[in-house]
Amino acid sequence: PQDRLSDVNVKNIDEDIKELVPNFLSNKSKKLELAKEHLSNKNFDSVAKFGHELKGDSKPYGFPALSYLGERLETLAKKKRPNSIELR
């Protein structure tokens, strides 16, 4: 898994969508705060939904590592394993 995280590179972002990236990241940051709240309330379905969205939305923007993290988050939330999930 670590090698999948090492492929984050801002240079890989397609020029056609580069101007959309700040808004994308801002939106995901806001949703991350909401996911933290859902996690503290043990609302695993909402945490899994955030993970699923992160997984699907991140790769087209040039962030495969975020996509991978979203996939892991979705999986752990569906298994209801709060001790395995840390959102910062």
Side-chain angles (χ1 to χ4, degrees), residues 12 16 33 79:
N12 292 336
D16 293 337
E33 293 305 314
K79 291 180 179 180

Side-chain angles (χ1 to χ4, degrees), residues 20-75:
L20 301 175
V21 170
N23 189 47
F24 168 78
L25 293 175
S26 175
N27 183 26
K28 292 304 172 201
S29 179
K30 290 174 189 171
K31 288 188 174 190
L32 174 61
E33 293 305 314
L34 190 55
K36 289 178 188 179
E37 191 175 314
H38 290 309
L39 182 61
S40 69
N41 293 326
K42 298 188 185 326
N43 184 344
F44 297 109
D45 290 337
S46 293
V47 175
K49 181 180 178 189
F50 170 71
H52 182 80
E53 288 176 5
L54 187 63
K55 175 180 73 174
D57 294 346
S58 298
K59 199 175 276 187
Y61 276 91
F63 298 107
L66 283 179
S67 182
Y68 172 73
L69 292 173
E71 178 183 347
R72 294 292 303 140
L73 179 59
E74 179 182 17
T75 299

Side-chain angles (χ1 to χ4, degrees), residues 6-25:
S6 65
D7 60 7
V8 173
N9 188 338
V10 178
K11 296 175 190 170
N12 292 336
I13 298 173
D14 189 307
E15 287 295 323
D16 293 337
I17 63 165
K18 206 171 204 170
E19 65 186 40
L20 301 175
V21 170
N23 189 47
F24 168 78
L25 293 175

